[in-house]
Amino acid sequence: MKINKIYRVFTLACLMFFCFCNVTMAQKKGLNIKATVVDKQGKPVSGASVYAPNGDKTSSNANGQFEIKLLDDDSITIEKKGYESKIVNVLDLSGNITLIKSPFLASREDEIKMGVSNRNRRDMVGSASTINTRDRSTYDNTQFVRNYISGLMLGVRGSENIRGIGNAIFVIDGVIGRDPNILNMEEVDQITVLKDANAVALYGSQARNGVIVINTKRGKVNRKEVNVNVRSSFSTPIALPNYLSSAQYMELFNEATINDTAAGVTPILPFSSEMISNTRNGVNPIKYPNVDYYSNQFVEPFITSTNVITEFSGGNEKNQYYVNVGWNRSGSWVDINEDINAGTDRFNIRGNIDFKINDWITSSLDGIAIIRTTRASRANLLSAATTIRPNAYAPFIPANLINTSDPVLAGQLQSARQFNGMLLGTTQEFGTNAPVALAIAGGYRNTVERATQFNNSINFNLDKIAKGLSAKTYLSFDFYDSYNLTINNQFKAYQPDWTGNSITSLGVFGEDIKDLSENVSTNGFTSRFGFYGLVNYQKTIGENHSLNTTLLAFYNSENRNNVIQRDIDSHLGFQVSYDYKKKLYVDFSGAYANSIKLAEGNRGGLSPTVGLAYVLSEEPFLKDNDFVNYLKIKASGGIIKSDIGINGYYLYDENYTNGNNFTWADGQRNNIRQNITQGANPNLGFEERIDLNVGFETYLMNSLWIEANYFRSELDKQITFLVDQYPSFYNAFRPYDNFNKNLYTGFELGLNYNKTYGDVSVSLGANVLYSQTERVRRSEVFTEDYLQTQGREISTIFGLVDQGFYQEADFDVDATGNYTLKAGAPVPNFGKVQPGDLKYKDQNGDNIIDNDDRIAIGQSSSPWSYGVNLNIKYKSFNLFVLGTGQTGAFGNKLNSSFNNYYAVNGNVKYSEVVKGRWTPATANTATFPRLSTNANQNNFRASTFWIYDNSFFNINRAQLTYEFDDVFIKKLGVEDFSMNISGTNLFEISKNRDVRQLRIGSNPLSRAFTLGLRVSF
């Protein structure tokens, strides 16, 4: 296919470029150059790193001196933490080289790349958190971006929800809306979380919930590197569903049948005692099957994965390059067909080149290609395993049980395809859709996912027009698509008929026909085109005043298959920053957004923000203080106007749909009614985030970093129908309005402590987020005040309050044995009840149990979330541990993700939870309602019976690393060499760990152990 050719050409071009760079450098010879590094006072600077274009590197000694090999036209790069880096040409290497100290948080390492602009951390006024990954990758070698964010980034709940407001928009290499899941962490250079309105203003409408900026690695001047990272791991399930055996199921289903049988009527039991006994005792397991679809016969006890990533980077002052090539292979939890080789393969290549066109124009080119293929059978066995009863049928029929004395049966057996001496079993109910048979003989489905990305930036240095003036254009194109390649084999499956323990006939379903060609079907595509241009002007006025202004024009268009209307986002952004003596900062940032989701004349909206910051530690009373090394206080506020909460187009207009036919005049003509679904509101406008942030950041005793913020955010003018403004007969004519309002308040606190004690270095980090939410304004009408959602937490769960199970004492029993609730007892409105059903509290005293008796019984969102990380280094050993937790939230066992595992309602497969069912004998100890073969409308409703505490603390990952010493690695001819062993999902502390860790109908939650090697050349 054409797209595959593009991948191959791009890969070849990157590798050729890398080889060309290496060959060119390898062919050159140079001279040894000596020099001395000093500071502004002329004192020698030791430990300064010196890099040459040919890959050589050294460092200055105690006297600031170094020696390195260079060519006549080469330059070197000199770097030292706390100093401004410097590039020096070989012709200028005479005498001393002076490095200038950087102000605290204003060095190259402290530069925050915010996608469309760069700022030093010291200059940031808005609330932002940043992690540079290069220093961490050796001892924290996870390859999943979302896992990296969770627990490490202050203010983030999970991997993308900032301050509980909602999921942030990702900005990857300056492109808004890219998917972080296509990255491996080896590609990532920096992750920044922008949280308050002032920090996100330049990103316009899409930044309402915050922004997570990810910048990938690029080549550096005179920094030639080759890195190889190899990881091999195996994963084991933490928890698997536990369904009852066939004998248990049949016994309890008989019990359910008895429960449903009217008093005085003899129940007709579906399963005989002989059948149950034979099944329990394993008498002929083909005739009396007892199939566990989560056993090792069908689900792998463990799976393995292999990950190999290589990086090449380098360059000089004029050109720099970076190439990342990776391959990952992981197995499948269901792999019962040897011909399929089930599992997932992922291949990625990323390359970028930064080059200088002339003295005032530089440019860059980025290309990314990713192919991910998942090969599996046509049957989803993990999903089917949640519904197929253990006694339904035997998936495999041994050929030796078939009575071949019958020539017809013998002919069937001779012509049948056998799998290890077995025929594929089925029943009349399943036919050729029997999951195991389909998995083995039905062919395969190969799902291919492809991603292609291209970026180009052009940077203009316009100093000749005005000193400090620059401009930039940025063009991006993304294409994602997915399709299936399937082989749809037809096959025969058999239903046996028994005489004693011998199969005397076979019911045959299907035909044995091989599919001779792959079938192609699309899963959809997404294409995105983006462009932004900006003009920046920086001016220093005198010695104390600095001005930095930016004007941005942004456009992004996204198209998806089967969607007529493109998603278009465009805005103008502006930023004016002023600082006085690098201690007082004022920032005015904002955007003017345009939305095609709103009516013409109402499509523009201004988002103004302002921020103030003051570095108190620069004042005389704190300057040079040994305890307080740095202290900055800051405050910001503003309004972000957004349309991301407007879920659709033309919501401002009248909408019509075709209705039923009707006759007209003489009755011979048919006409179609036009039904209105919503009224018009041409004044429909943007939603607004109104934001306030107050905080501080400080560095104490040269070892402890503390950052804290209080935030208050309102999401106002959210789109909704006004229920309480119109009579019910007017519902079809109601327009959408800007009405709903939410409030988010809370604080975040982050600490990081770093200290060295002899050979031991300790780094301890912690972050806490508290976010309380409230539905401030709602348009709603309820019969009871306690049903109002206004004034409550946004994720409030409403449900009934259970008061245990109905007991026999709650009923009057007539002469025939029928149960009737005693006089005066509240009557459920969800169907007739009997002993063993759930009893609910009558909240409004009307003596009827219905939906008006629901109250707030919990919340699904955690107000508290936190993360802790510990890094201990002793000589060559390094231990890293990361833990995360949340508290204050509740889960619901009736959630659809649990299937019917906890809500065993009616004629479904029985899980282990029904062991605690109510019976007269267990009336005082029961943990589950009585069993029934019919759907019960009373028991399986949202109530306090089904919710559970979802609080937890989890050891997400831990890694032990050993870095080989310089003597050993020099013998190997490498720069760095380390080995590590790591584990993920190692341990969880939670009251309901068994519920939280269970996955139904999908891949199990797993615990992984990984052995890794990292080598740098």
Side-chain angles (χ1 to χ4, degrees):
M1 293 185 175
K2 184 177 181 181
I3 193 73
N4 289 328
K5 292 181 180 179
I6 295 175
Y7 292 142
R8 293 169 186 165
V9 170
F10 178 74
T11 302
L12 182 61
C14 290
L15 294 177
M16 288 178 62
F17 179 80
F18 168 69
C19 293
F20 172 77
C21 292
N22 280 276
V23 170
T24 302
M25 293 177 181
Q27 289 175 344
K28 296 182 179 181
K29 298 180 179 179
L31 301 174
N32 289 332
I33 302 297
K34 297 180 180 180
T36 302
V37 184
V38 298
D39 62 15
K40 199 172 182 180
Q41 287 72 39
K43 297 179 180 180
V45 176
S46 63
S49 299
V50 183
Y51 302 94
N54 60 2
D56 287 349
K57 70 176 183 179
T58 187
S59 59
S60 58
N61 60 23
N63 297 319
Q65 298 171 341
F66 68 88
E67 181 178 352
I68 197 166
K69 181 178 289 187
L70 294 175
L71 297 174
D72 292 342
D73 57 349
D74 271 349
S75 62
I76 60 171
T77 301
I78 304 175
E79 294 181 353
K80 168 81 173 177
K81 190 171 183 180
Y83 292 83
E84 295 180 9
S85 61
K86 195 164 189 175
I87 299 175
V88 184
N89 190 276
V90 65
L91 300 178
D92 298 324
L93 285 174
S94 59
N96 295 336
I97 302 172
T98 303
L99 292 185
I100 306 300
K101 269 197 171 184
S102 301
F104 185 69
L105 296 181
S107 66
R108 178 180 289 254
E109 293 82 6
D110 299 307
E111 184 180 45
I112 299 178
K113 303 169 185 176
M114 297 189 297
V116 296
S117 64
N118 296 346
R119 301 288 295 276
N120 285 329
R121 189 170 183 178
R122 183 187 184 93
D123 299 337
M124 285 293 297
V125 175
S127 180
S129 299
T130 298
I131 287 183
N132 293 316
T133 65
R134 281 181 179 265
D135 297 335
R136 305 178 61 93
S137 57
T138 298
Y139 62 83
D140 184 13
N141 201 22
T142 180
Q143 289 302 307
F144 300 99
V145 173
R146 292 185 182 275
N147 289 353
Y148 203 89
I149 294 172
S150 180
L152 288 178
M153 305 299 295
L154 178 62
V156 182
R157 179 191 296 164
S159 63
E160 60 182 325
N161 188 311
I162 296 180
R163 293 178 170 177
I165 296 175
N167 291 339
I169 191 75
F170 282 88
V171 176
I172 301 177
D173 288 336
V175 181
I176 296 177
R178 278 183 169 167
D179 183 2
N181 293 330
I182 70 172
L183 294 170
N184 62 62
M185 277 304 302
E186 222 55 45
E187 300 172 75
V188 176
D189 181 57
Q190 186 184 79
I191 302 175
T192 299
V193 179
L194 306 177
K195 293 171 280 192
D196 66 332
N198 181 254
V200 305
L202 279 178
Y203 296 94
S205 176
Q206 295 188 70
R208 186 196 72 178
N209 297 339
V211 176
I212 298 178
V213 181
I214 299 176
N215 289 280
T216 58
K217 295 177 181 177
R218 312 194 72 83
K220 293 187 176 181
V221 176
N222 298 337
R223 294 282 295 271
K224 182 182 177 182
E225 295 180 358
V226 179
N227 301 311
V228 179
N229 184 15
V230 181
R231 293 158 49 89
S232 180
S233 67
F234 71 93
S235 303
T236 59
I238 294 177
L240 288 173
N242 185 10
Y243 290 97
L244 299 189
S245 67
S246 291
Q248 291 173 309
Y249 168 77
M250 290 188 286
E251 283 182 334
L252 295 183
F253 197 81
N254 280 350
E255 179 183 309
T257 303
I258 295 172
N259 291 341
D260 293 338
T261 303
V265 177
T266 301
I268 301 175
L269 301 181
F271 304 109
S272 68
S273 57
E274 180 186 8
M275 181 182 296
I276 296 173
S277 176
N278 288 341
T279 304
R280 176 179 288 110
N281 295 324
V283 177
N284 195 342
I286 308 304
K287 184 177 181 179
Y288 304 104
N290 178 26
V291 183
D292 180 2
Y293 289 95
Y294 283 93
S295 68
N296 291 350
Q297 183 180 10
F298 303 105
V299 177
E300 298 290 330
F302 65 90
I303 62 171
T304 61
S305 65
T306 303
N307 191 35
V308 180
I309 300 174
T310 57
E311 298 177 284
F312 315 99
S313 64
N316 51 36
E317 282 188 88
K318 294 182 179 180
N319 307 288
Q320 303 93 48
Y321 67 91
Y322 173 83
V323 178
N324 181 297
V325 181
W327 170 74
N328 176 268
R329 165 71 186 177
S330 58
S332 172
W333 287 106
V334 177
D335 189 6
I336 60 175
N337 187 339
E338 296 178 357
D339 297 330
I340 289 179
N341 190 25
T344 299
D345 286 275
R346 181 185 186 274
F347 172 78
N348 74 276
I349 181 165
R350 172 185 297 273
N352 58 62
I353 304 172
D354 298 292
F355 54 96
K356 188 174 183 180
I357 298 176
N358 55 35
D359 290 340
W360 61 285
I361 301 177
T362 60
S363 185
S364 68
L365 292 172
D366 295 40
I368 302 95
I370 299 168
I371 300 179
R372 184 176 185 267
T373 61
T374 302
R375 195 175 179 90
S377 69
R378 290 170 54 206
N380 188 339
L381 195 59
L382 288 176
S383 177
T386 66
T387 58
I388 301 178
R389 297 172 182 82
N391 65 321
Y393 71 97
F396 303 103
I397 304 171
N400 59 12
L401 293 182
I402 299 174
N403 186 351
T404 56
S405 61
D406 183 345
V408 174
L409 198 57
Q412 284 182 314
L413 181 60
Q414 186 176 5
S415 63
R417 291 179 62 198
Q418 295 188 26
F419 299 86
N420 297 323
M422 304 281 188
L423 303 185
L424 298 177
T426 189
T427 65
Q428 180 74 38
E429 177 187 358
F430 290 102
T432 56
N433 289 320
V436 175
L438 183 61
I440 291 177
Y444 63 81
R445 176 183 290 109
N446 194 22
T447 301
V448 181
E449 300 166 85
R450 302 180 299 187
T452 307
Q453 298 175 350
F454 172 81
N455 312 328
N456 169 241
S457 69
I458 305 176
N459 304 280
F460 304 89
N461 184 338
L462 304 178
D463 278 346
K464 293 182 179 180
I465 299 175
K467 188 171 180 58
L469 183 65
S470 63
K472 179 179 182 178
T473 64
Y474 197 92
L475 179 71
S476 64
F477 173 77
D478 297 3
F479 184 80
Y480 308 86
D481 77 323
S482 175
Y483 62 90
N484 295 324
L485 296 172
T486 57
I487 289 290
N488 299 319
N489 291 333
Q490 298 181 46
F491 57 92
K492 287 182 180 179
Y494 302 88
Q495 178 177 342
D497 292 322
W498 299 85
T499 300
N501 288 321
S502 178
I503 298 173
T504 53
S505 68
L506 290 171
V508 183
F509 300 87
E511 294 290 337
D512 284 327
I513 302 175
K514 288 277 191 177
D515 196 348
L516 300 180
S517 61
E518 283 189 320
N519 307 281
V520 182
S521 62
T522 182
N523 295 321
F525 74 87
T526 300
S527 62
R528 179 185 293 111
F529 169 78
F531 172 83
Y532 71 81
L534 63 84
V535 177
N536 179 261
Y537 179 66
Q538 299 183 48
K539 178 70 173 178
T540 300
I541 305 171
E543 295 183 357
N544 299 326
H545 307 275
S546 298
L547 190 67
N548 190 332
T549 62
T550 299
L551 180 63
L552 168 76
F554 175 86
Y555 174 85
N556 187 76
S557 173
E558 183 175 311
N559 188 33
R560 297 182 299 277
N561 63 306
N562 299 324
V563 176
I564 298 175
Q565 176 62 58
R566 289 174 174 264
D567 289 331
I568 296 176
D569 180 74
S570 59
H571 66 271
L572 296 175
F574 61 89
Q575 184 176 51
V576 179
S577 300
Y578 164 81
D579 73 77
Y580 172 71
K581 290 187 175 181
K582 293 297 178 183
K583 65 178 181 180
L584 176 63
Y585 296 87
V586 183
D587 184 286
F588 294 95
S589 296
Y592 186 82
N594 178 74
S595 174
I596 62 175
K597 294 181 179 179
L598 302 173
E600 291 187 13
N602 204 33
R603 292 183 169 176
L606 179 64
S607 300
T609 72
V610 62
L612 300 171
Y614 187 36
V615 182
L616 279 174
S617 53
E618 289 297 311
E619 293 300 326
F621 65 91
L622 279 179
K623 196 171 180 64
D624 300 323
N625 187 289
D626 292 335
F627 181 78
V628 179
N629 309 117
Y630 175 79
L631 174 62
K632 179 169 73 174
I633 57 174
K634 55 188 178 181
S636 65
I639 300 173
I640 301 295
K641 294 197 173 182
S642 174
D643 66 353
I644 64 172
I646 304 176
N647 297 316
Y649 296 86
Y650 306 106
L651 299 187
Y652 57 84
D653 208 352
E654 291 177 337
N655 280 198
Y656 295 88
T657 59
N658 289 334
N660 297 326
N661 292 341
F662 68 94
T663 56
W664 181 255
D666 57 5
Q668 300 303 309
R669 298 181 62 187
N670 288 329
N671 296 272
I672 299 177
R673 298 179 186 273
Q674 294 297 301
N675 295 334
I676 187 171
T677 58
Q678 70 182 46
N681 180 6
N683 294 320
L684 197 70
F686 286 95
E687 298 181 346
E688 294 181 354
R689 172 181 172 179
I690 306 168
D691 208 58
L692 171 67
N693 186 89
V694 179
F696 73 89
E697 51 191 42
T698 185
Y699 190 56
L700 307 176
M701 301 175 291
N702 292 311
S703 58
L704 178 62
W705 172 265
I706 303 175
E707 180 177 356
N709 291 288
Y710 165 80
F711 59 86
R712 186 182 192 277
S713 299
E714 296 178 2
L715 291 188
D716 197 6
K717 299 182 180 179
Q718 297 177 74
I719 305 300
T720 188
F721 285 121
L722 298 183
V723 177
D724 61 347
Q725 301 296 312
Y726 303 95
S728 59
F729 63 81
Y730 197 77
N731 282 353
F733 301 93
R734 288 180 304 174
Y736 279 100
D737 277 281
N738 297 100
F739 186 80
N740 284 356
K741 181 179 180 180
N742 294 339
L743 175 63
Y744 305 80
T745 57
F747 67 88
E748 57 191 21
L749 173 65
L751 303 95
N752 195 276
Y753 175 79
N754 293 277
K755 197 72 173 179
T756 299
Y757 305 91
D759 292 333
V760 179
S761 296
V762 177
S763 176
L764 177 63
N767 60 78
V768 177
L769 170 66
Y770 173 75
S771 176
Q772 186 60 45
T773 67
E774 180 186 351
R775 300 171 184 247
V776 176
R777 185 168 59 239
R778 289 294 188 272
S779 174
E780 52 192 13
V781 177
F782 290 103
T783 56
E784 306 293 347
D785 290 342
Y786 53 75
L787 289 172
Q788 298 284 340
T789 66
Q790 181 170 301
R792 298 188 183 276
E793 203 274 338
I794 293 174
S795 68
T796 297
I797 303 170
F798 282 85
L800 302 166
V801 175
D802 86 278
Q803 296 184 307
F805 300 107
Y806 282 109
Q807 304 295 340
E808 292 182 338
D810 295 317
F811 297 87
D812 292 322
V813 185
D814 60 21
T816 62
N818 291 313
Y819 290 97
T820 303
L821 278 171
K822 288 187 173 180
V827 179
N829 202 28
F830 311 123
K832 188 176 180 181
V833 294
Q834 65 184 58
D837 288 326
L838 285 176
K839 183 195 300 185
Y840 302 116
K841 184 177 181 180
D842 181 13
Q843 299 289 346
N844 56 9
D846 63 357
N847 227 34
I848 297 174
I849 303 297
D850 55 18
N851 284 329
D852 287 343
D853 294 301
R854 293 175 300 122
I855 65 170
I857 58 175
Q859 64 183 68
S860 61
S861 180
S862 297
W864 291 94
S865 57
Y866 55 92
V868 292
N869 64 88
L870 173 66
N871 190 60
I872 301 176
K873 182 176 176 60
Y874 173 71
K875 295 184 178 179
S876 296
F877 288 94
N878 197 106
L879 175 64
F880 172 79
V881 182
L882 172 70
T884 61
Q886 293 182 10
T887 187
F890 290 85
N892 188 349
K893 293 180 182 178
L894 299 184
N895 189 297
S896 60
S897 65
F898 287 125
N899 201 280
N900 287 316
Y901 191 83
Y902 294 105
V904 184
N905 186 13
N907 187 18
V908 298
K909 189 172 184 177
Y910 285 177
S911 69
E912 60 181 340
V913 299
V914 302
K915 291 180 178 179
R917 71 205 180 282
W918 186 96
T919 67
T922 64
N924 296 322
T925 59
T927 57
F928 193 83
R930 69 179 179 91
L931 296 181
S932 173
T933 63
N934 303 313
N936 190 303
Q937 299 300 318
N938 179 81
N939 294 339
F940 301 95
R941 314 187 73 83
S943 72
T944 53
F945 183 84
W946 297 109
I947 67 171
Y948 62 93
D949 187 346
N950 204 24
S951 302
F952 70 91
F953 174 74
N954 182 44
I955 301 298
N956 295 60
R957 59 184 182 271
Q959 178 175 317
L960 179 64
T961 305
Y962 181 79
E963 298 181 77
F964 292 90
D965 58 38
D966 292 340
V967 175
F968 180 76
I969 63 178
K970 285 181 180 179
K971 290 180 180 179
L972 294 179
V974 298
E975 291 289 337
D976 293 293
F977 183 30
S978 65
M979 180 173 63
N980 61 77
I981 183 170
S982 62
T984 59
N985 288 331
L986 292 175
F987 183 71
E988 180 173 304
I989 301 172
S990 61
K991 183 179 179 180
N992 295 287
R993 183 175 60 185
D994 57 333
V995 182
R996 282 185 31 81
Q997 294 182 337
L998 194 60
R999 303 292 182 268
I1000 307 295
S1002 60
N1003 290 337
L1005 183 67
S1006 60
R1007 179 175 292 115
F1009 298 95
T1010 303
L1011 177 65
L1013 296 174
R1014 297 179 64 90
V1015 183
S1016 298
F1017 299 90

